[in-house]
Amino acid sequence: MSSGVVQTAFQQCLNPECRATFDVGQVLTACSRCNSLLDICYDWNRSILPRQLSDFQQRWSSRLNPLDYSGVWRFRELLRFAADEQLVTIGEGQTVLQQNDRLAAACGLQSGRLFLQYEGQNPSGSFKDNGMTAASTHARLVGAKMTACASTGNTSASLAIYAGVTGLFRCIVFVGSGKIAFGKLSQALDYGAVTIQIRGDFDDALARVRQICERYPIYLCNSVNPFRMEGQKTIMFRVLEGLGWQVPDWIVVPGGNLGNCSAFGKAFLELRQLGLIDRVPRLAVINAAGASTLDEFWNGLGLRWNDGRPSTAIMRDRFDQMDRHDERAATLASAIEINRPVNLVKALRALEVCDGVVRSVSDQEIVDCRARIAATGFGCEPASGATVAGVLRLREEGVIAAGDRVVCILTGHQLKDPDLTMAYHSGDHNLAAKKLHPAGVTAMPFANPPIVVDNDEAAIVKALGLQSSG
Ligand SMILES: *Cc1c(COP(=O)(O)O)cnc(C)c1O
Ligand SMILES: [Zn+2]
């Protein structure tokens, strides 16, 4: 592999009737002709590509080079839209794939068959850094001085850390009121982001920031930015690496704005085209029941990719209906509390490529699984808990077999939402009544409440049920 050679990359409209192409130097979040989503495409130059994926492993020996250290840019030949000198990195993507046999047993999977890809280890504590390092690179490429995003929390934390660490640009984050977990909001404030809290939810905030970025010279970093998707592809490369470059049977991921699942589908599509893998895994996208737009479209209304021509009538009718009834997303998994997923069409492509399935799980299932994951190792935030809830469901249905090799993507860190964790564990009825009961979470079967005792040996010994050793 030779570094630094830029192969031709360009932006291309997803709509097969249009297929307009644009230079990577242009700042676009939709096709300027037909308003469809954009992809980053490459005229693959095979002479600078690895012959096999395992060639990337050599980069572990040159980790003093920040680009080789990065879990994103280590794979830069597969997302080569900028030259080495332009790439922005803050050490993202140092993640591990964790085999979890105890959870496998709980899910009815054979030992050695369940893996957790722990993206909470990223610098800002969520997978968003994989995409933001690519968007930051593009922002630098086009000389942006001001960036913005709307966020349920993690996108803003991620953009804010890249702005803060690199000093390349300033950033404005738009958040809805009352919906954002404190761990995430506190990061944006700490990293110095200009934080605009609007009255409304995430869908409102995104519509507003898109409008503002169109009218003013501000670079938009939401997942309508096609460069983010390029960085997020590398999560799948690292999963393959963690499995010794073997393709698993299933990738299970929570679905919010559907950028991540879309990026995964694109990653496998490209790897297959390049002959670097010989089969693709199946994809399971898990919605929260209170934000289940993809589930409705895929399972309820039969919407499909259809060679890039999904039924616009089905989509328009349903979104119009949402508008008319002012339907709002509602789930404790705030990172996926989204009713109008902007990457819907790309997600349909990913589901097509990966023979995917979609399921919705309740908040009760989400918070229980979150607690069960945490109790066996790395913790995660509620949205990530949806993955294991999805595996349980798909095992019950027999869609996932006991011997299948399953990888769950734990998208965000446990400490992002400590309020929810405490409401679950503490046994404090007021906390539960305020936070959990309104979402239909009435039982906490995996709670581990603190034991309150007097500061007194006898009382402590009694509480612990200890027998004297003497
Ligand atoms: C953003 C986010 C999601 C949703 O990902 P999409 O790409 O929007 O579908 C899930 N979990 C966490 C922790 C997130 O931050
Ligand atoms: Zn177009």
Side-chain angles (χ1 to χ4, degrees):
M1 287 184 281
S2 63
S3 287
V5 185
V6 179
Q7 64 192 353
T8 321
F10 53 95
Q11 311 189 58
Q12 184 166 49
C13 174
L14 207 62
N15 173 3
E17 320 296 346
C18 173
R19 283 277 184 263
T21 60
F22 307 92
D23 193 85
V24 285
Q26 275 184 272
V27 180
L28 295 163
T29 51
C31 173
S32 55
R33 261 206 244 148
C34 76
N35 213 33
S36 299
L37 292 169
L38 294 171
D39 255 342
I40 306 305
C41 298
Y42 306 90
D43 285 328
W44 298 107
N45 176 349
R46 296 198 183 234
S47 70
I48 63 162
L49 285 175
R51 248 166 309 153
Q52 58 222 356
L53 280 171
S54 57
D55 290 354
F56 284 113
Q57 245 162 275
Q58 292 162 15
R59 293 234 161 100
W60 285 99
S61 62
S62 48
R63 291 167 69 76
L64 288 181
N65 172 356
L67 296 182
D68 289 350
Y69 180 76
S70 166
V72 171
W73 301 115
R74 220 151 39 78
F75 300 99
R76 53 195 176 274
E77 283 76 11
L78 297 172
L79 54 151
R80 183 51 101 183
F81 64 84
D84 278 8
E85 312 76 71
Q86 293 158 325
L87 304 180
V88 174
T89 179
I90 63 168
E92 56 288 321
Q94 302 308 312
T95 57
V96 297
L97 186 74
Q98 182 205 32
Q99 182 179 319
N100 192 320
D101 290 347
R102 271 189 288 161
L103 264 186
C107 292
L109 287 168
Q110 290 166 10
S111 190
R113 292 289 155 174
L114 181 68
F115 297 83
L116 306 177
Q117 170 68 11
Y118 189 53
E119 290 293 319
Q121 284 176 312
N122 275 290
S124 80
S126 85
F127 80 82
K128 297 293 197 300
D129 296 348
N130 292 282
M132 212 51 83
T133 190
S136 299
T137 295
H138 187 244
R140 175 195 217 174
L141 200 90
V142 301
K145 289 289 163 256
M146 187 66 88
T147 60
C149 68
S151 183
T152 62
N154 282 333
T155 303
S156 58
S158 184
L159 178 57
I161 202 173
Y162 276 89
V165 173
T166 67
L168 286 167
F169 39 73
R170 300 204 16 104
C171 85
I172 312 168
V173 308
F174 286 68
V175 298
S177 47
K179 294 287 195 173
I180 182 168
F182 265 16
K184 307 176 186 183
L185 182 56
S186 59
Q187 284 181 287
L189 300 175
D190 248 0
Y191 300 140
V194 177
T195 304
I196 306 280
Q197 202 154 16
I198 64 160
R199 223 167 289 130
D201 63 9
F202 171 80
D203 292 311
D204 297 320
L206 181 56
R208 182 64 66 195
V209 74
R210 288 184 83 162
Q211 177 205 46
I212 287 175
C213 289
E214 250 165 53
R215 297 193 182 158
Y216 301 89
I218 305 175
Y219 182 93
L220 183 64
C221 289
N222 279 100
S223 55
V224 285
N225 178 327
F227 292 93
R228 264 188 53 189
M229 221 88 6
E230 294 310 288
Q232 287 169 213
K233 290 190 308 193
T234 66
I235 300 170
M236 292 301 101
F237 305 157
R238 296 197 302 274
V239 164
L240 295 180
E241 184 177 48
L243 294 172
W245 307 106
Q246 290 179 14
V247 178
D249 298 302
W250 288 93
I251 299 288
V252 187
V253 63
N257 234 343
L258 308 179
N260 221 15
C261 61
S262 299
F264 297 175
K266 187 170 187 285
F268 290 118
L269 187 63
E270 291 174 352
L271 291 182
R272 193 175 58 188
Q273 277 169 357
L274 292 169
L276 292 168
I277 52 174
D278 50 15
R279 67 181 187 97
V280 297
R282 296 190 70 185
L283 180 67
V285 184
I286 313 299
N287 276 161
S292 58
T293 304
L294 182 66
D295 182 16
E296 271 180 53
F297 275 131
W298 184 260
N299 295 313
L301 298 166
L303 186 68
R304 290 294 181 273
W305 167 243
N306 192 26
D307 286 325
R309 297 170 186 81
S311 164
T312 46
I314 292 180
M315 291 186 279
R316 194 192 46 232
D317 289 354
R318 181 67 188 102
F319 285 126
D320 283 352
Q321 187 186 26
M322 268 185 204
D323 288 338
R324 272 200 314 280
H325 299 284
D326 196 28
E327 288 177 41
R328 299 282 166 175
T331 168
L332 288 172
S334 57
I336 52 175
E337 191 174 36
I338 295 172
N339 252 0
R340 290 163 179 74
V342 295
N343 291 299
L344 174 61
V345 174
K346 284 186 177 176
L348 296 174
R349 177 176 65 183
L351 288 163
E352 177 76 29
V353 169
C354 297
D355 188 16
V357 300
V358 183
R359 293 293 182 272
S360 298
V361 292
S362 69
D363 278 6
Q364 179 77 59
E365 293 169 274
I366 287 174
V367 297
D368 285 344
C369 285
R370 197 213 62 79
R372 297 176 82 171
I373 294 166
T376 62
F378 289 120
C380 63
E381 65 170 278
S384 318
T387 55
V388 171
V391 172
L392 277 168
R393 177 78 59 80
L394 292 164
R395 276 292 298 129
E396 268 167 34
E397 293 175 9
V399 175
I400 294 181
D404 283 354
R405 190 136 55 148
V406 180
V407 177
C408 292
I409 311 301
L410 301 190
T411 45
H413 199 283
Q414 178 179 31
L415 298 178
K416 291 282 191 175
D417 196 349
D419 291 344
L420 183 133
T421 308
M422 285 309 294
Y424 192 90
H425 283 301
S426 69
D428 180 332
H429 191 75
N430 288 333
L431 278 183
K434 196 162 149 250
K435 184 104 186 163
L436 301 178
H437 297 169
V441 175
T442 48
M444 279 76 90
F446 302 98
N448 178 29
I451 304 163
V452 182
V453 285
D454 285 338
N455 185 12
D456 169 77
E457 185 183 338
I460 293 169
V461 165
K462 182 161 176 254
L464 291 174
L466 292 177
Q467 306 288 323
S468 162
S469 54

